[in-house]
Amino acid sequence: MNQWVVDCKKLTAVHANKKVRLEPKAALILQYMAARPGQIINREELFNQFWSNQVVTEDALNRVISSLRKAFDDNLSEPQYIATIRKTGYRLVAEVAPLPSGSKYAKRRVISSISFFLIILFTFPLITRIVSTTEPTISMGSMQRLTYNTDLKLMPNLSEDGTHLTYIESDIGEMDTIVLMTVKNQRKEHFSAYGYEFMHPVITAKTNSVLALTRKNHAHSISLIDLSNDTIKHIVELRGESYGLNHHIKNKTLVFTQEHINSKTHRLTIYDALIDLIEPLSTPPRGLTDKYPIFSPSGLKIAYIRSKASSDHALFTVDLDGNETQLSNYQTTISGYDWVDDEHLLYANEQGVHLLALTGETKTISAPLPTNILSNLQISSNTGTLLFSLQQTNLKGVALDLTQPKKALPLTASNSNDSELSISPDAKKMGFVSTRKGYKTLWVRGNNHLSSINNSKFDDIYDLVWSTDNQRIAATVKQSSKYGIAIYHVELDNLHVTWLSSDPVHVIGWNKHNRVLYAQRHHLHWRLASYNSATSAHSYYPAINVYQGRLLPDKKSLLYIDAVTRTLWQWDFNNKPKKIPIPKQMTLDRNWDVDLHGIYYIDTNGIVKYYKMDNGEIKSIMDHPYTFSFQSRPQVRLHGFIGANKTVTNNDFWLSAITL
């Protein structure tokens, strides 16, 4: 910015031999303005963005702007950085540019993550070189920000003509609301109904009506919501929960996912409104699930995500005759995708944004964003626009005192994401995963000393568990398409990885013989196994079909989720497993841990709950202000619940002109 090099993550600005410290709020506001250089940003927008739901005076913003001017020696009357627009707001007049790739500052990620993303994705062509005559070239034009607050906004859908946007507003403990926005003037209509939950809304040919998945009293439907008349009408009754809905308007056809009758495996299902016919389309193997279907522009193919595990996704297509094709390898969570044309898809994951041809050829076109989630990509070729969500999140470790659940203790604090926290049995050491270096690495804290573990950079690290002797941490690691079990010995400062295969692995814990129990997908099934780190030997229990498992504190039995039916079982390692009944609304994946009497789990809204196995009672442990990550594995240790507290600082929809 002019002659300054600004690092909003480290809260520093450097010019020649001068270095200044930025206040956290000032760095956030500067980052926000740097994404829109030269544009007037009014004061009301800044208050809504950075002091939402807070009672502050006008001086709060004045002080921040004053601190920025002081940091850069700016002159109010002849500004070189921030100009005041009288009775309106402010404008960043400084020259903002990305650092050259060879700069000595490049490795320090001096441009903040949001600013860097906007510069790379929207200033330069998304794809700069045509590799072949069949590969589309995509270039970006003007941008429009559609929303300006941190409220939880989910599942956006843009109308084919690009004039309207619908999405879900969700507030914990309150009713879901369907929002229908006119893009041009951002006028909004709202619809909510007592007892209803809404998912995956899509705009119909009549732009004041929306199709959506609905749930009320455990009854699931596809419903038509008319926002003009505030009415809701059930179109299709569903057997259970669905993971996606899409509508091809010209063909008058719906595609959605539906549970298989004998299991919780989801498969694509077609509904033809012209002949009132419902029929299954995809055929996932046992234990796999199909999600988020999207019609191709012609309507002759449907793309979808098939998952082996919660964070193991691959893109598939299926034609209307049921012929399936796998397009990508299984990889870390795909956060959003859409068709570019009938032969290409654009998708985003933790490794960046990629162009994928139906032939399987992939080209990475944007770098990953360590503290941002790019999701909900939707391309409208009719209007030449791209819709996407840009969510900036922060994860930090928090411990709840279960004896006084209104109290919480922060365990980590950084501008990065800290997750997968695990406390040693003697409560003297803590291991966790962090992106403090710009990528995921393993960290350990003990005796007030915090250190990152050498050679622990992986695409993914999860399921951290301590050995009973307090000296070793076991974890699942993933690199490219291969999974392994990593064991770090604290006293020896030694990390060893045993690589297994390309099938997903979930580490469970150390049993009473100090061996690591884990679950691994093998061919079409999941199996329980143990690993002896001293001899590097593996033992298998083929009769036990384990997807996720937790050892009880006394190590005498195992609670586990069946990989096919996703039901809960308890096994004492000798007799036959015993089925444990759980409520239908209780979703378990990586989000739970156990004590001798029940299960602590995080629900899909981020609330910690406890299920008592003897009487089936469920109670909330703590509501606001702590919202826990559903995707990060928590831990019960002594009288505390340890998890990753999730804070969303940006959660907005953007619309950009696009040239195909």
Side-chain angles (χ1 to χ4, degrees):
M1 186 177 70
N2 286 359
Q3 296 83 20
W4 290 85
V5 174
V6 183
D7 188 339
C8 290
K9 179 182 285 189
K10 295 182 178 178
L11 305 178
T12 60
V14 179
H15 174 213
N17 294 323
K18 184 177 181 181
K19 182 177 181 179
V20 297
R21 187 84 177 167
L22 301 178
E23 298 175 5
K25 185 76 76 174
L28 285 171
I29 290 178
L30 181 62
Q31 172 179 292
Y32 187 81
M33 297 176 74
R36 298 159 63 186
Q39 296 184 28
I40 297 174
I41 303 175
N42 62 50
R43 292 176 63 88
E44 181 181 0
E45 179 181 332
L46 291 172
F47 275 108
N48 290 337
Q49 180 72 21
F50 297 100
W51 287 278
S52 60
N53 302 319
Q54 297 181 47
V55 179
V56 294
T57 66
E58 292 283 318
D59 286 337
L61 179 55
N62 294 340
R63 284 194 296 269
V64 170
I65 298 298
S66 177
S67 73
L68 286 171
R69 286 184 170 133
K70 182 178 180 181
F72 299 110
D73 296 322
D74 203 11
N75 189 317
L76 179 61
S77 59
E78 296 180 2
Q80 300 298 311
Y81 295 89
I82 300 174
T84 298
I85 310 303
R86 191 168 178 267
K87 296 184 178 180
T88 303
Y90 303 95
R91 177 165 55 198
L92 188 66
V93 296
E95 183 178 341
V96 178
L99 291 174
S101 59
S103 167
K104 65 179 181 179
Y105 297 102
K107 293 184 180 180
R108 294 170 55 189
R109 300 181 178 270
V110 182
I111 300 298
S112 66
S113 53
I114 286 183
S115 300
F116 178 80
F117 169 75
L118 294 175
I119 291 167
I120 294 300
L121 190 58
F122 297 121
T123 303
F124 299 102
L126 195 61
I127 299 174
T128 57
R129 184 169 177 261
I130 300 177
V131 175
S132 69
T133 57
T134 59
E135 181 177 311
T137 179
I138 302 176
S139 60
M140 310 304 298
S142 60
M143 286 200 316
Q144 179 183 2
R145 188 173 185 171
L146 299 180
T147 57
Y148 292 90
N149 58 61
T150 58
D151 294 342
L152 190 59
K153 301 177 289 294
L154 307 168
M155 306 173 186
N157 178 260
L158 190 66
S159 63
E160 285 193 352
D161 61 8
T163 60
H164 290 79
L165 171 71
T166 186
Y167 58 91
I168 306 294
E169 278 189 354
S170 181
D171 191 6
I172 298 173
E174 302 293 336
M175 292 187 294
D176 286 348
T177 300
I178 289 182
V179 180
L180 183 63
M181 174 195 289
T182 304
V183 172
K184 185 175 182 180
N185 57 18
Q186 299 185 4
R187 183 177 62 86
K188 298 177 183 178
E189 298 179 59
H190 299 80
F191 177 87
S192 59
Y194 181 76
Y196 275 93
E197 295 178 63
F198 301 109
M199 293 147 285
H200 300 285
V202 291
I203 298 174
T204 67
K206 185 181 178 183
T207 53
N208 60 348
S209 65
V210 172
L211 284 164
L213 298 170
T214 60
R215 176 169 59 190
K216 184 179 182 182
N217 298 328
H218 310 303
H220 298 260
S221 306
I222 299 174
S223 302
L224 179 66
I225 295 101
D226 190 326
L227 283 87
S228 300
N229 302 317
D230 281 341
T231 59
I232 182 169
K233 178 183 178 182
H234 301 316
I235 304 298
V236 181
E237 300 296 330
L238 305 179
R239 289 192 301 271
E241 187 176 11
S242 178
Y243 295 143
L245 172 68
N246 198 243
H247 182 205
H248 198 276
I249 293 177
K250 292 180 181 178
N251 295 348
K252 294 182 171 58
T253 308
L254 297 175
V255 63
F256 55 96
T257 73
Q258 186 65 95
E259 288 180 354
H260 189 275
I261 295 175
N262 298 321
S263 73
K264 288 193 174 183
T265 296
H266 278 244
R267 57 184 178 179
L268 269 58
T269 304
I270 284 281
Y271 172 65
D272 192 325
L274 292 175
I275 57 177
D276 194 26
L277 175 67
I278 299 177
E279 59 180 356
L281 192 61
S282 67
T283 54
R286 288 171 63 87
L288 271 65
T289 289
D290 294 344
K291 300 179 179 181
Y292 316 129
I294 302 176
F295 277 107
S296 65
S298 66
L300 299 179
K301 290 182 182 290
I302 299 165
Y304 58 97
I305 292 173
R306 178 165 288 173
S307 61
K308 289 182 180 179
S310 58
S311 61
D312 207 65
H313 294 170
L315 277 166
F316 280 69
T317 61
V318 62
D319 63 24
L320 300 184
D321 293 323
N323 299 309
E324 298 178 320
T325 303
Q326 181 176 345
L327 300 184
S328 72
N329 295 325
Y330 282 91
Q331 57 196 265
T332 306
T333 305
I334 296 172
S335 57
Y337 78 96
D338 196 15
W339 292 87
V340 177
D341 53 33
D342 277 333
E343 300 297 326
H344 297 85
L345 296 163
L346 192 71
Y347 75 93
N349 63 8
E350 289 186 353
Q351 280 71 51
V353 181
H354 318 274
L355 183 71
L356 174 65
L358 295 193
T359 59
E361 296 176 359
T362 303
K363 181 176 181 179
T364 299
I365 57 178
S366 176
L369 308 172
T371 59
N372 291 272
I373 300 172
L374 179 69
S375 60
N376 299 313
L377 305 181
Q378 185 182 350
I379 296 173
S380 173
S381 56
N382 291 351
T383 59
T385 52
L386 169 68
L387 173 76
F388 64 93
S389 300
L390 188 61
Q391 184 182 91
Q392 187 177 29
T393 61
N394 179 252
L395 297 176
K396 63 181 180 181
V398 171
L400 298 183
D401 184 346
L402 296 177
T403 64
Q404 301 180 65
K406 295 300 179 183
K407 291 188 176 181
L409 173 70
L411 297 177
T412 66
S414 75
N415 291 327
S416 303
N417 287 329
D418 300 333
S419 61
E420 301 294 322
L421 285 91
S422 182
I423 306 292
S424 61
D426 63 5
K428 294 182 179 180
K429 305 180 188 71
M430 178 176 71
F432 62 97
V433 177
S434 181
T435 59
R436 299 178 187 212
K437 293 187 173 183
Y439 44 81
K440 290 183 178 178
T441 51
L442 181 63
W443 292 67
V444 172
R445 185 183 185 95
N447 298 321
N448 289 322
H449 177 68
L450 176 65
S451 61
S452 62
I453 306 309
N454 291 329
N455 303 315
S456 67
K457 176 187 175 182
F458 300 100
D459 290 343
D460 211 354
I461 313 170
Y462 55 90
D463 287 340
L464 273 63
V465 286
W466 284 87
S467 60
T468 53
D469 62 4
N470 305 294
Q471 284 299 316
R472 289 164 291 170
I473 302 176
T476 304
V477 294
K478 181 181 180 183
Q479 190 67 33
S480 299
S481 60
K482 185 170 285 190
Y483 288 83
I485 297 175
I487 295 181
Y488 174 69
H489 197 293
V490 177
E491 190 172 300
L492 301 178
D493 189 23
N494 174 260
L495 178 70
H496 176 75
V497 179
T498 299
W499 294 106
L500 299 174
S501 70
S502 60
D503 285 317
V505 172
H506 298 144
V507 165
I508 294 171
W510 300 78
N511 65 15
K512 59 185 178 182
H513 303 296
N514 233 4
R515 297 177 180 177
V516 179
L517 286 180
Y518 65 95
Q520 181 184 25
R521 183 171 172 81
H522 181 65
H523 299 307
L524 298 180
H525 304 280
W526 285 80
R527 62 183 179 182
L528 179 67
S530 70
Y531 171 65
N532 187 330
S533 60
T535 63
S536 299
H538 298 263
S539 302
Y540 301 98
Y541 307 85
I544 307 299
N545 187 11
V546 176
Y547 171 68
Q548 292 275 356
R550 305 289 183 263
L551 285 163
L552 266 62
D554 59 9
K555 311 285 187 180
K556 293 181 179 179
S557 59
L558 171 73
L559 279 181
Y560 69 89
I561 305 169
D562 180 271
V564 176
T565 64
R566 297 297 176 93
T567 49
L568 188 66
W569 300 79
Q570 185 170 357
W571 184 42
D572 63 3
F573 300 102
N574 294 307
N575 302 302
K576 287 185 177 181
K578 174 185 175 183
K579 188 174 182 179
I580 305 296
I582 59 173
K584 190 173 183 179
Q585 71 271 24
M586 183 175 167
T587 302
L588 298 181
D589 197 283
R590 300 193 59 251
N591 57 320
W592 59 293
D593 201 8
V594 298
D595 63 14
L596 290 174
H597 306 290
I599 300 170
Y600 289 90
Y601 71 99
I602 301 167
D603 71 8
T604 53
N605 290 319
I607 302 301
V608 180
K609 295 185 176 180
Y610 182 70
Y611 173 69
K612 199 170 182 181
M613 289 188 289
D614 59 355
N615 61 12
E617 177 188 358
I618 294 180
K619 64 177 182 178
S620 294
I621 299 300
M622 189 174 190
D623 295 336
H624 288 301
Y626 292 95
T627 301
F628 285 84
S629 170
F630 179 83
Q631 287 80 23
S632 181
R633 176 174 170 173
Q635 181 192 47
V636 177
R637 175 66 70 217
L638 301 177
H639 300 293
F641 178 91
I642 295 98
N645 174 221
K646 182 177 180 179
T647 304
V648 178
T649 55
N650 281 289
N651 177 37
D652 287 300
F653 303 137
W654 293 74
L655 198 64
S656 175
I658 186 171
T659 303
L660 301 178

